[in-house]
CSV table of all heavy atoms in Angstrom, one decimal:
chain,number,residue,atom,x,y,z
T,10,MET,N,63.4,-5.6,-62.8
T,10,MET,CA,63.6,-4.2,-62.8
T,10,MET,C,63.2,-3.6,-61.5
T,10,MET,O,62.3,-4.0,-60.9
T,10,MET,CB,62.8,-3.6,-64.0
T,10,MET,CG,63.1,-2.1,-64.2
T,10,MET,SD,62.4,-1.6,-65.7
T,10,MET,CE,62.0,0.1,-65.3
T,11,ILE,N,64.0,-2.6,-61.1
T,11,ILE,CA,63.7,-1.9,-59.8
T,11,ILE,C,62.6,-0.9,-59.9
T,11,ILE,O,62.5,-0.2,-60.9
T,11,ILE,CB,65.0,-1.3,-59.2
T,11,ILE,CG1,64.9,-0.9,-57.8
T,11,ILE,CG2,65.4,-0.1,-60.0
T,11,ILE,CD1,66.2,-0.6,-57.1
T,12,ASN,N,61.8,-0.9,-58.9
T,12,ASN,CA,60.6,0.0,-58.8
T,12,ASN,C,61.1,1.4,-58.7
T,12,ASN,O,62.1,1.7,-57.9
T,12,ASN,CB,59.8,-0.4,-57.6
T,12,ASN,CG,58.5,0.4,-57.5
T,12,ASN,OD1,58.3,1.3,-58.2
T,12,ASN,ND2,57.7,0.0,-56.5
T,13,PRO,N,60.5,2.4,-59.5
T,13,PRO,CA,61.0,3.8,-59.4
T,13,PRO,C,60.9,4.3,-58.0
T,13,PRO,O,61.8,5.1,-57.6
T,13,PRO,CB,60.1,4.5,-60.3
T,13,PRO,CG,59.6,3.5,-61.3
T,13,PRO,CD,59.5,2.2,-60.5
T,14,GLY,N,59.9,4.0,-57.2
T,14,GLY,CA,59.8,4.4,-55.8
T,14,GLY,C,61.0,3.9,-55.0
T,14,GLY,O,61.5,4.7,-54.2
T,15,LYS,N,61.3,2.7,-55.1
T,15,LYS,CA,62.5,2.1,-54.4
T,15,LYS,C,63.8,2.8,-54.8
T,15,LYS,O,64.7,3.0,-54.0
T,15,LYS,CB,62.6,0.6,-54.6
T,15,LYS,CG,61.5,-0.2,-53.9
T,15,LYS,CD,61.6,-1.6,-54.1
T,15,LYS,CE,60.5,-2.4,-53.4
T,15,LYS,NZ,60.7,-3.8,-53.6
T,16,LEU,N,63.9,3.1,-56.1
T,16,LEU,CA,65.1,3.8,-56.6
T,16,LEU,C,65.2,5.2,-56.0
T,16,LEU,O,66.3,5.6,-55.6
T,16,LEU,CB,65.0,3.9,-58.1
T,16,LEU,CG,66.2,4.6,-58.8
T,16,LEU,CD1,67.5,3.7,-58.6
T,16,LEU,CD2,66.0,4.7,-60.3
T,17,ILE,N,64.1,5.9,-55.9
T,17,ILE,CA,64.2,7.2,-55.2
T,17,ILE,C,64.5,7.1,-53.8
T,17,ILE,O,65.3,7.9,-53.3
T,17,ILE,CB,62.8,8.0,-55.4
T,17,ILE,CG1,62.6,8.3,-56.9
T,17,ILE,CG2,62.7,9.2,-54.6
T,17,ILE,CD1,61.3,8.8,-57.3
T,18,ILE,N,64.0,6.1,-53.1
T,18,ILE,CA,64.3,5.9,-51.7
T,18,ILE,C,65.8,5.6,-51.5
T,18,ILE,O,66.5,6.1,-50.7
T,18,ILE,CB,63.5,4.8,-51.0
T,18,ILE,CG1,62.0,5.3,-50.9
T,18,ILE,CG2,64.0,4.4,-49.7
T,18,ILE,CD1,61.0,4.2,-50.5
T,19,LEU,N,66.3,4.7,-52.4
T,19,LEU,CA,67.7,4.4,-52.4
T,19,LEU,C,68.6,5.6,-52.6
T,19,LEU,O,69.6,5.8,-52.0
T,19,LEU,CB,68.0,3.3,-53.4
T,19,LEU,CG,69.4,2.8,-53.5
T,19,LEU,CD1,69.8,2.1,-52.2
T,19,LEU,CD2,69.6,1.8,-54.7
T,20,MET,N,68.2,6.4,-53.6
T,20,MET,CA,69.0,7.6,-53.9
T,20,MET,C,69.0,8.6,-52.7
T,20,MET,O,70.0,9.2,-52.4
T,20,MET,CB,68.5,8.3,-55.1
T,20,MET,CG,68.8,7.6,-56.4
T,20,MET,SD,68.2,8.2,-58.0
T,20,MET,CE,67.7,9.8,-57.7
T,21,GLY,N,67.8,8.6,-52.0
T,21,GLY,CA,67.7,9.5,-50.8
T,21,GLY,C,68.7,9.0,-49.7
T,21,GLY,O,69.3,9.8,-49.0
T,22,ILE,N,68.7,7.7,-49.5
T,22,ILE,CA,69.6,7.1,-48.5
T,22,ILE,C,71.0,7.4,-48.8
T,22,ILE,O,71.8,7.8,-47.9
T,22,ILE,CB,69.3,5.6,-48.4
T,22,ILE,CG1,68.0,5.3,-47.7
T,22,ILE,CG2,70.4,4.9,-47.5
T,22,ILE,CD1,67.5,3.9,-47.8
T,23,ILE,N,71.4,7.3,-50.1
T,23,ILE,CA,72.8,7.6,-50.5
T,23,ILE,C,73.1,9.0,-50.3
T,23,ILE,O,74.2,9.4,-49.8
T,23,ILE,CB,73.0,7.2,-52.0
T,23,ILE,CG1,73.0,5.7,-52.2
T,23,ILE,CG2,74.3,7.8,-52.5
T,23,ILE,CD1,73.0,5.2,-53.6
T,24,LEU,N,72.1,9.9,-50.6
T,24,LEU,CA,72.4,11.4,-50.3
T,24,LEU,C,72.5,11.7,-48.8
T,24,LEU,O,73.3,12.5,-48.4
T,24,LEU,CB,71.3,12.2,-50.9
T,24,LEU,CG,71.3,12.3,-52.4
T,24,LEU,CD1,70.0,13.1,-52.9
T,24,LEU,CD2,72.5,13.0,-52.9
T,25,ILE,N,71.7,11.0,-48.0
T,25,ILE,CA,71.9,11.1,-46.5
T,25,ILE,C,73.3,10.7,-46.1
T,25,ILE,O,73.9,11.4,-45.3
T,25,ILE,CB,70.8,10.4,-45.8
T,25,ILE,CG1,69.4,11.0,-46.0
T,25,ILE,CG2,71.1,10.2,-44.3
T,25,ILE,CD1,68.2,10.2,-45.5
T,26,ILE,N,73.7,9.6,-46.6
T,26,ILE,CA,75.1,9.1,-46.2
T,26,ILE,C,76.1,10.1,-46.7
T,26,ILE,O,77.1,10.4,-45.9
T,26,ILE,CB,75.3,7.7,-46.8
T,26,ILE,CG1,74.4,6.7,-46.1
T,26,ILE,CG2,76.8,7.3,-46.6
T,26,ILE,CD1,74.4,5.3,-46.8
T,27,VAL,N,76.0,10.6,-47.9
T,27,VAL,CA,77.0,11.5,-48.4
T,27,VAL,C,76.9,12.8,-47.5
T,27,VAL,O,78.0,13.4,-47.2
T,27,VAL,CB,76.7,11.9,-49.9
T,27,VAL,CG1,77.5,13.0,-50.3
T,27,VAL,CG2,77.0,10.6,-50.7
T,28,GLY,N,75.8,13.3,-47.2
T,28,GLY,CA,75.6,14.5,-46.3
T,28,GLY,C,76.3,14.2,-45.0
T,28,GLY,O,76.9,15.1,-44.4
T,29,PHE,N,76.1,13.0,-44.4
T,29,PHE,CA,76.7,12.7,-43.1
T,29,PHE,C,78.2,12.8,-43.2
T,29,PHE,O,78.9,13.4,-42.4
T,29,PHE,CB,76.3,11.3,-42.7
T,29,PHE,CG,76.9,10.8,-41.5
T,29,PHE,CD1,76.5,11.2,-40.2
T,29,PHE,CD2,78.0,9.9,-41.5
T,29,PHE,CE1,77.1,10.7,-39.1
T,29,PHE,CE2,78.5,9.4,-40.4
T,29,PHE,CZ,78.1,9.9,-39.2
T,30,PHE,N,78.8,12.2,-44.3
T,30,PHE,CA,80.2,12.2,-44.5
T,30,PHE,C,80.7,13.6,-44.7
T,30,PHE,O,81.8,14.0,-44.2
T,30,PHE,CB,80.7,11.3,-45.6
T,30,PHE,CG,80.8,9.9,-45.2
T,30,PHE,CD1,79.9,8.9,-45.7
T,30,PHE,CD2,81.7,9.4,-44.3
T,30,PHE,CE1,79.9,7.6,-45.3
T,30,PHE,CE2,81.8,8.1,-43.9
T,30,PHE,CZ,80.9,7.2,-44.4
T,31,ILE,N,80.0,14.4,-45.5
T,31,ILE,CA,80.5,15.8,-45.7
T,31,ILE,C,80.5,16.6,-44.4
T,31,ILE,O,81.4,17.4,-44.2
T,31,ILE,CB,79.6,16.5,-46.8
T,31,ILE,CG1,79.9,15.9,-48.1
T,31,ILE,CG2,79.8,18.0,-46.8
T,31,ILE,CD1,79.0,16.4,-49.2
T,32,SER,N,79.5,16.4,-43.6
T,32,SER,CA,79.4,17.2,-42.3
T,32,SER,C,80.4,16.8,-41.3
T,32,SER,O,80.9,17.6,-40.5
T,32,SER,CB,78.0,17.1,-41.7
T,32,SER,OG,77.7,15.8,-41.3
T,33,PHE,N,80.9,15.5,-41.3
T,33,PHE,CA,81.8,15.0,-40.3
T,33,PHE,C,83.2,14.9,-40.9
T,33,PHE,O,84.2,15.0,-40.1
T,33,PHE,CB,81.4,13.7,-39.8
T,33,PHE,CG,80.2,13.8,-38.8
T,33,PHE,CD1,78.9,13.4,-39.2
T,33,PHE,CD2,80.4,14.3,-37.6
T,33,PHE,CE1,77.9,13.6,-38.4
T,33,PHE,CE2,79.3,14.5,-36.7
T,33,PHE,CZ,78.1,14.1,-37.1
T,34,ILE,N,83.4,14.8,-42.2
T,34,ILE,CA,84.8,14.7,-42.7
T,34,ILE,C,85.0,15.9,-43.7
T,34,ILE,O,85.8,15.8,-44.6
T,34,ILE,CB,85.1,13.4,-43.3
T,34,ILE,CG1,84.2,13.1,-44.5
T,34,ILE,CG2,85.0,12.3,-42.3
T,34,ILE,CD1,84.6,11.9,-45.3
T,35,GLY,N,84.4,17.0,-43.5
T,35,GLY,CA,84.4,18.1,-44.4
T,35,GLY,C,85.8,18.8,-44.5
T,35,GLY,O,86.1,19.4,-45.5
T,36,LYS,N,86.6,18.7,-43.5
T,36,LYS,CA,87.9,19.3,-43.6
T,36,LYS,C,89.0,18.3,-43.4
T,36,LYS,O,89.7,18.2,-42.4
T,36,LYS,CB,88.0,20.3,-42.4
T,36,LYS,CG,87.0,21.4,-42.4
T,36,LYS,CD,87.5,22.6,-43.2
T,36,LYS,CE,86.5,23.7,-43.1
T,36,LYS,NZ,87.0,24.9,-43.7
T,37,LEU,N,89.2,17.6,-44.5
T,37,LEU,CA,90.3,16.6,-44.5
T,37,LEU,C,91.6,17.2,-44.9
T,37,LEU,O,91.6,18.2,-45.6
T,37,LEU,CB,90.0,15.5,-45.5
T,37,LEU,CG,88.9,14.5,-45.1
T,37,LEU,CD1,88.6,13.5,-46.3
T,37,LEU,CD2,89.2,13.7,-43.9
T,38,PRO,N,92.8,16.6,-44.5
T,38,PRO,CA,94.0,17.1,-45.0
T,38,PRO,C,94.1,16.9,-46.5
T,38,PRO,O,93.7,15.9,-47.1
T,38,PRO,CB,95.1,16.2,-44.4
T,38,PRO,CG,94.4,15.6,-43.2
T,38,PRO,CD,92.9,15.6,-43.5
T,39,GLY,N,94.5,17.9,-47.3
T,39,GLY,CA,94.5,17.8,-48.7
T,39,GLY,C,93.4,18.7,-49.3
T,39,GLY,O,93.4,19.0,-50.5
T,40,ASP,N,92.5,19.2,-48.5
T,40,ASP,CA,91.4,20.1,-49.0
T,40,ASP,C,92.1,21.5,-49.1
T,40,ASP,O,92.9,21.9,-48.2
T,40,ASP,CB,90.3,20.2,-48.0
T,40,ASP,CG,89.4,18.9,-48.0
T,40,ASP,OD1,89.6,18.1,-48.9
T,40,ASP,OD2,88.6,18.8,-47.2
T,41,ILE,N,91.8,22.2,-50.1
T,41,ILE,CA,92.4,23.5,-50.3
T,41,ILE,C,91.5,24.6,-49.7
T,41,ILE,O,90.3,24.7,-50.0
T,41,ILE,CB,92.5,23.8,-51.8
T,41,ILE,CG1,93.5,22.8,-52.5
T,41,ILE,CG2,93.0,25.3,-52.1
T,41,ILE,CD1,93.6,22.9,-54.0
T,42,SER,N,92.1,25.4,-48.8
T,42,SER,CA,91.4,26.5,-48.1
T,42,SER,C,92.3,27.7,-48.2
T,42,SER,O,93.4,27.7,-47.8
T,42,SER,CB,91.1,26.1,-46.7
T,42,SER,OG,90.5,27.1,-46.0
T,43,PHE,N,91.6,28.8,-48.6
T,43,PHE,CA,92.3,30.1,-48.8
T,43,PHE,C,91.5,31.2,-48.2
T,43,PHE,O,90.3,31.3,-48.6
T,43,PHE,CB,92.7,30.3,-50.3
T,43,PHE,CG,93.3,31.7,-50.5
T,43,PHE,CD1,94.6,31.9,-50.2
T,43,PHE,CD2,92.6,32.7,-51.1
T,43,PHE,CE1,95.2,33.1,-50.4
T,43,PHE,CE2,93.1,33.9,-51.4
T,43,PHE,CZ,94.4,34.1,-51.0
T,44,LYS,N,92.0,32.0,-47.4
T,44,LYS,CA,91.2,33.1,-46.8
T,44,LYS,C,92.1,34.3,-46.7
T,44,LYS,O,93.2,34.3,-46.2
T,44,LYS,CB,90.7,32.7,-45.4
T,44,LYS,CG,89.8,33.8,-44.9
T,44,LYS,CD,89.1,33.3,-43.6
T,44,LYS,CE,88.1,34.3,-43.1
T,44,LYS,NZ,87.4,33.8,-41.9
T,45,LYS,N,91.6,35.4,-47.3
T,45,LYS,CA,92.4,36.7,-47.2
T,45,LYS,C,91.4,37.8,-47.2
T,45,LYS,O,90.6,38.0,-48.1
T,45,LYS,CB,93.3,36.8,-48.5
T,45,LYS,CG,94.2,38.1,-48.4
T,45,LYS,CD,95.2,38.1,-49.5
T,45,LYS,CE,96.1,39.3,-49.3
T,45,LYS,NZ,97.1,39.3,-50.4
T,46,GLY,N,91.3,38.5,-46.0
T,46,GLY,CA,90.4,39.6,-45.9
T,46,GLY,C,88.9,39.0,-45.9
T,46,GLY,O,88.6,38.1,-45.1
T,47,ASN,N,88.1,39.6,-46.7
T,47,ASN,CA,86.7,39.2,-46.8
T,47,ASN,C,86.5,38.1,-47.9
T,47,ASN,O,85.4,37.6,-48.1
T,47,ASN,CB,85.8,40.4,-47.2
T,47,ASN,CG,85.7,41.4,-46.1
T,47,ASN,OD1,85.9,41.1,-44.9
T,47,ASN,ND2,85.5,42.7,-46.5
T,48,VAL,N,87.5,37.6,-48.5
T,48,VAL,CA,87.4,36.6,-49.5
T,48,VAL,C,87.9,35.3,-49.0
T,48,VAL,O,89.0,35.2,-48.4
T,48,VAL,CB,88.3,37.0,-50.8
T,48,VAL,CG1,88.2,35.9,-51.8
T,48,VAL,CG2,87.8,38.3,-51.3
T,49,SER,N,87.1,34.2,-49.2
T,49,SER,CA,87.5,32.9,-48.8
T,49,SER,C,87.2,31.9,-49.9
T,49,SER,O,86.2,32.1,-50.6
T,49,SER,CB,86.9,32.5,-47.5
T,49,SER,OG,85.5,32.4,-47.6
T,50,PHE,N,88.1,31.0,-50.1
T,50,PHE,CA,87.9,29.9,-51.1
T,50,PHE,C,88.2,28.6,-50.5
T,50,PHE,O,89.2,28.4,-49.7
T,50,PHE,CB,88.9,30.2,-52.2
T,50,PHE,CG,88.9,29.1,-53.3
T,50,PHE,CD1,87.8,29.1,-54.2
T,50,PHE,CD2,89.9,28.2,-53.4
T,50,PHE,CE1,87.8,28.1,-55.2
T,50,PHE,CE2,89.8,27.2,-54.3
T,50,PHE,CZ,88.8,27.2,-55.2
T,51,TYR,N,87.3,27.6,-50.7
T,51,TYR,CA,87.4,26.3,-50.2
T,51,TYR,C,87.1,25.3,-51.3
T,51,TYR,O,86.0,25.3,-51.9
T,51,TYR,CB,86.5,26.1,-49.0
T,51,TYR,CG,86.6,24.7,-48.4
T,51,TYR,CD1,87.7,24.3,-47.7
T,51,TYR,CD2,85.5,23.8,-48.5
T,51,TYR,CE1,87.7,23.0,-47.2
T,51,TYR,CE2,85.5,22.6,-48.0
T,51,TYR,CZ,86.7,22.2,-47.3
T,51,TYR,OH,86.7,20.9,-46.8
T,52,PHE,N,88.1,24.4,-51.5
T,52,PHE,CA,87.8,23.3,-52.5
T,52,PHE,C,88.2,22.0,-51.9
T,52,PHE,O,89.4,21.7,-51.6
T,52,PHE,CB,88.7,23.6,-53.8
T,52,PHE,CG,88.4,22.6,-54.9
T,52,PHE,CD1,87.2,22.8,-55.6
T,52,PHE,CD2,89.2,21.6,-55.3
T,52,PHE,CE1,86.8,21.9,-56.6
T,52,PHE,CE2,88.9,20.8,-56.3
T,52,PHE,CZ,87.7,20.9,-57.0
T,53,PRO,N,87.2,21.2,-51.6
T,53,PRO,CA,87.4,19.9,-50.9
T,53,PRO,C,87.9,18.8,-51.8
T,53,PRO,O,87.1,17.9,-52.2
T,53,PRO,CB,86.0,19.6,-50.3
T,53,PRO,CG,85.1,20.2,-51.3
T,53,PRO,CD,85.8,21.4,-51.8
T,54,ILE,N,89.2,18.8,-52.2
T,54,ILE,CA,89.7,17.7,-53.1
T,54,ILE,C,89.6,16.3,-52.4
T,54,ILE,O,89.1,15.4,-53.0
T,54,ILE,CB,91.1,18.1,-53.5
T,54,ILE,CG1,91.1,19.3,-54.4
T,54,ILE,CG2,91.7,16.9,-54.3
T,54,ILE,CD1,92.5,19.8,-54.7
T,55,MET,N,90.2,16.2,-51.2
T,55,MET,CA,90.2,14.9,-50.5
T,55,MET,C,88.8,14.4,-50.2
T,55,MET,O,88.5,13.3,-50.3
T,55,MET,CB,91.1,15.0,-49.3
T,55,MET,CG,92.6,15.0,-49.6
T,55,MET,SD,93.1,13.6,-50.6
T,55,MET,CE,92.9,12.2,-49.5
T,56,THR,N,88.0,15.3,-49.7
T,56,THR,CA,86.6,15.0,-49.4
T,56,THR,C,85.9,14.4,-50.6
T,56,THR,O,85.2,13.4,-50.6
T,56,THR,CB,85.9,16.2,-48.8
T,56,THR,OG1,86.6,16.7,-47.7
T,56,THR,CG2,84.5,15.8,-48.4
T,57,SER,N,86.1,15.1,-51.8
T,57,SER,CA,85.5,14.6,-53.0
T,57,SER,C,86.0,13.2,-53.4
T,57,SER,O,85.2,12.4,-53.9
T,57,SER,CB,85.8,15.6,-54.1
T,57,SER,OG,85.3,16.9,-53.9
T,58,ILE,N,87.3,13.0,-53.2
T,58,ILE,CA,87.9,11.7,-53.5
T,58,ILE,C,87.3,10.6,-52.6
T,58,ILE,O,86.9,9.5,-53.1
T,58,ILE,CB,89.4,11.7,-53.5
T,58,ILE,CG1,90.0,12.6,-54.6
T,58,ILE,CG2,90.0,10.3,-53.5
T,58,ILE,CD1,91.4,12.9,-54.5
T,59,VAL,N,87.2,10.9,-51.3
T,59,VAL,CA,86.6,9.9,-50.4
T,59,VAL,C,85.2,9.6,-50.7
T,59,VAL,O,84.8,8.4,-50.8
T,59,VAL,CB,86.8,10.4,-48.9
T,59,VAL,CG1,86.0,9.6,-48.0
T,59,VAL,CG2,88.2,10.5,-48.5
T,60,ILE,N,84.4,10.6,-51.0
T,60,ILE,CA,83.0,10.4,-51.4
T,60,ILE,C,82.9,9.7,-52.7
T,60,ILE,O,82.0,8.8,-52.8
T,60,ILE,CB,82.2,11.8,-51.4
T,60,ILE,CG1,82.1,12.4,-50.0
T,60,ILE,CG2,80.9,11.7,-52.1
T,60,ILE,CD1,81.6,13.8,-50.0
T,61,SER,N,83.7,9.9,-53.6
T,61,SER,CA,83.7,9.2,-54.9
T,61,SER,C,84.0,7.7,-54.7
T,61,SER,O,83.3,6.9,-55.3
T,61,SER,CB,84.7,9.8,-55.9
T,61,SER,OG,84.8,9.1,-57.0
T,62,ILE,N,85.0,7.4,-53.9
T,62,ILE,CA,85.3,6.0,-53.6
T,62,ILE,C,84.1,5.3,-52.9
T,62,ILE,O,83.7,4.2,-53.3
T,62,ILE,CB,86.6,5.9,-52.7
T,62,ILE,CG1,87.8,6.4,-53.6
T,62,ILE,CG2,86.8,4.5,-52.2
T,62,ILE,CD1,89.0,6.5,-52.8
T,63,ILE,N,83.5,6.0,-51.9
T,63,ILE,CA,82.4,5.4,-51.2
T,63,ILE,C,81.2,5.2,-52.1
T,63,ILE,O,80.6,4.1,-52.1
T,63,ILE,CB,82.0,6.3,-50.0
T,63,ILE,CG1,83.1,6.2,-48.9
T,63,ILE,CG2,80.7,5.8,-49.4
T,63,ILE,CD1,83.0,7.2,-47.8
T,64,LEU,N,80.9,6.2,-52.9
T,64,LEU,CA,79.8,6.0,-53.9
T,64,LEU,C,80.1,4.9,-54.9
T,64,LEU,O,79.2,4.1,-55.3
T,64,LEU,CB,79.4,7.3,-54.5
T,64,LEU,CG,78.7,8.3,-53.7
T,64,LEU,CD1,78.5,9.6,-54.5
T,64,LEU,CD2,77.4,7.8,-53.3
T,65,SER,N,81.3,4.8,-55.4
T,65,SER,CA,81.7,3.8,-56.3
T,65,SER,C,81.5,2.4,-55.7
T,65,SER,O,81.0,1.5,-56.3
T,65,SER,CB,83.1,3.9,-56.8
T,65,SER,OG,83.2,5.1,-57.5
T,66,LEU,N,81.9,2.2,-54.4
T,66,LEU,CA,81.7,1.0,-53.8
T,66,LEU,C,80.2,0.6,-53.6
T,66,LEU,O,79.8,-0.5,-53.8
T,66,LEU,CB,82.4,1.0,-52.4
T,66,LEU,CG,83.9,0.9,-52.5
T,66,LEU,CD1,84.5,1.1,-51.1
T,66,LEU,CD2,84.4,-0.4,-53.1
T,67,ILE,N,79.4,1.6,-53.2
T,67,ILE,CA,78.0,1.4,-53.0
T,67,ILE,C,77.3,1.0,-54.3
T,67,ILE,O,76.6,0.0,-54.4
T,67,ILE,CB,77.3,2.6,-52.4
T,67,ILE,CG1,77.8,2.8,-50.9
T,67,ILE,CG2,75.8,2.5,-52.5
T,67,ILE,CD1,77.3,4.1,-50.3
T,68,LEU,N,77.7,1.7,-55.4
T,68,LEU,CA,77.0,1.4,-56.7
T,68,LEU,C,77.5,0.0,-57.2
T,68,LEU,O,76.8,-0.7,-57.9
T,68,LEU,CB,77.3,2.5,-57.7
T,68,LEU,CG,76.6,3.8,-57.3
T,68,LEU,CD1,77.0,4.9,-58.3
T,68,LEU,CD2,75.1,3.6,-57.3
T,69,PHE,N,78.8,-0.3,-56.9
T,69,PHE,CA,79.3,-1.6,-57.3
T,69,PHE,C,78.6,-2.8,-56.6
T,69,PHE,O,78.2,-3.7,-57.2
T,69,PHE,CB,80.8,-1.7,-57.0
T,69,PHE,CG,81.4,-3.1,-57.3
T,69,PHE,CD1,81.7,-3.4,-58.6
T,69,PHE,CD2,81.7,-3.9,-56.3
T,69,PHE,CE1,82.2,-4.7,-58.9
T,69,PHE,CE2,82.3,-5.2,-56.5
T,69,PHE,CZ,82.5,-5.5,-57.8
T,70,ILE,N,78.4,-2.6,-55.3
T,70,ILE,CA,77.6,-3.6,-54.5
T,70,ILE,C,76.2,-3.7,-55.0
T,70,ILE,O,75.7,-4.8,-55.2
T,70,ILE,CB,77.7,-3.2,-53.0
T,70,ILE,CG1,79.1,-3.4,-52.5
T,70,ILE,CG2,76.7,-4.1,-52.2
T,70,ILE,CD1,79.3,-2.8,-51.1
T,71,ILE,N,75.6,-2.6,-55.3
T,71,ILE,CA,74.2,-2.6,-55.8
T,71,ILE,C,74.1,-3.3,-57.2
T,71,ILE,O,73.2,-4.1,-57.4
T,71,ILE,CB,73.6,-1.2,-55.9
T,71,ILE,CG1,73.4,-0.6,-54.5
T,71,ILE,CG2,72.3,-1.1,-56.7
T,71,ILE,CD1,73.0,0.9,-54.5
T,72,SER,N,75.1,-3.1,-58.0
T,72,SER,CA,75.1,-3.7,-59.3
T,72,SER,C,75.3,-5.2,-59.2
T,72,SER,O,74.8,-6.0,-60.0
T,72,SER,CB,76.1,-3.1,-60.3
T,72,SER,OG,77.4,-3.4,-59.8
T,73,LYS,N,76.1,-5.7,-58.2
T,73,LYS,CA,76.3,-7.1,-58.0
T,73,LYS,C,75.1,-7.8,-57.5
T,73,LYS,O,74.8,-8.9,-57.7
T,73,LYS,CB,77.5,-7.3,-57.1
T,73,LYS,CG,78.8,-7.0,-57.8
T,73,LYS,CD,79.1,-8.0,-58.9
T,73,LYS,CE,80.4,-7.7,-59.6
T,73,LYS,NZ,80.6,-8.5,-60.7
T,74,ILE,N,74.3,-7.0,-56.6
T,74,ILE,CA,73.1,-7.6,-56.1
T,74,ILE,C,72.0,-7.8,-57.2
T,74,ILE,O,71.3,-8.8,-57.2
T,74,ILE,CB,72.6,-6.7,-54.9
T,74,ILE,CG1,73.5,-6.8,-53.7
T,74,ILE,CG2,71.2,-7.1,-54.5
T,74,ILE,CD1,73.2,-5.8,-52.6
T,75,ARG,N,71.9,-6.8,-58.1
T,75,ARG,CA,71.0,-6.9,-59.1
T,75,ARG,C,71.4,-8.0,-60.1
T,75,ARG,O,70.8,-8.7,-60.7
T,75,ARG,CB,70.8,-5.6,-59.9
T,75,ARG,CG,70.2,-4.6,-59.0
T,75,ARG,CD,70.0,-3.3,-59.7
T,75,ARG,NE,69.2,-3.5,-60.9
T,75,ARG,CZ,69.0,-2.6,-61.9
T,75,ARG,NH1,69.4,-1.4,-61.7
T,75,ARG,NH2,68.3,-2.9,-62.9
């Protein structure tokens, strides 16, 4: 069984990686962006898909290691 402290560190590392990807790939083609006057709307569909794939791969690798 994994130590709770190590699990928290692992989750922190994953969040840092996700934050890195969001800050550098935040405006991918396929993201919905709408701006009219003082109103703006942004929905990162492609960014969400990319992050989902990366997290799925990371969690798959972690499950195979355990």
Side-chain angles (χ1 to χ4, degrees):
M10 186 165 151
I11 193 164
N12 185 354
K15 289 182 181 180
L16 181 64
I17 292 172
I18 291 172
L19 181 65
M20 288 174 21
I22 291 170
I23 290 171
L24 287 175
I25 289 171
I26 292 170
V27 169
F29 176 78
F30 280 112
I31 288 174
S32 66
F33 287 105
I34 63 168
K36 298 270 184 175
L37 290 176
D40 290 348
I41 297 174
S42 180
F43 174 75
K44 187 173 186 178
K45 185 172 184 178
N47 291 336
V48 178
S49 63
F50 176 76
Y51 177 70
F52 189 70
I54 294 175
M55 285 304 293
T56 304
S57 299
I58 292 171
V59 169
I60 290 172
S61 175
I62 291 170
I63 291 169
L64 285 177
S65 295
L66 288 173
I67 290 171
L68 293 175
F69 175 76
I70 291 168
I71 290 171
S72 70
K73 289 296 180 183
I74 291 173
R75 290 182 56 186

